[in-house]
Amino acid sequence: MWSPDPARPAERARVNDYDSFAEAYAAETENGPVNAFYERPAMLALAGDVTGRRILDAGCGSGPLSAALRERGADVTGVDASAAMLALARRRLGDDADLYLADLREQLPFDDGTFDDVVASLVLHYLQDWGPTLREIRRVLRPGGRLIASVDHPFVAYTFSDPRPDYFATTSYSFEWTVDGQTAPMRFWRKPLHAMFDAFSTAGFRISTVSEPQPDPAARDRFPDAFHALSTRPTFLFFVAEVPRPVSQDQGVYRSGPSA
């Protein structure tokens, strides 16, 4: 079971290097309570019926969410910044899987309006500035398309450090994950709730859903301690943000006078 150790600072040069522990991380999170019985089910529930929808899995990792969406009838493309994670995703999804090595802080290799949905599962909190990434995601979404995203809950991240940081500032926090005996230094960025909303709005999204879900009831017997923790305190925060459809010339126009 991976566990963060806030007492040991992460080394800047090696933070968030998933290539160094991809196999261990993928194996640990495949069927663990936080990912398999809480985060992924919540993302799939928010996505709803995806039959025939073209979906970009932004930060796809080893591909478990991509696989689940594909099984539900979606046409899925995946991008990730880790070559090792993409190799695991290709092993899972097949040699013909549509996978790209890409950094979400840079331009994505897709045309405007390519996708119906983008899913960003636990990736935005790796970014200090959400703005460029959200604008690029909006660009590759069609009008009416959705971004479905999960992030570390800002209240949890706020209590992670001692002494407490300035809640209203965007601050980083570093720690070490231990996964199957391997230690990996990590750094995330915590934003206050209003800054998250502002980032979506500034990028041109309209938030339709904010969710703090409960874990899958199936975890109650398999992982009783984790089930209790996930059921009683926030862990992740989920958003559905939509690209507004353009208003046609005949919609919402108020006319007055003789010709009205």
Side-chain angles (χ1 to χ4, degrees), residues 204-218:
F205 285 98
R206 180 180 58 215
I207 294 175
S208 61
T209 303
V210 178
S211 178
E212 297 173 305
Q214 290 290 296
D216 187 331

Side-chain angles (χ1 to χ4, degrees), residues 137-157:
I137 288 174
R138 188 189 187 284
R139 181 186 68 79
V140 302
L141 279 167
R142 64 167 178 78
R146 304 175 300 170
L147 167 60
I148 304 165
S150 59
V151 297
D152 264 12
H153 200 293
F155 299 160
V156 174

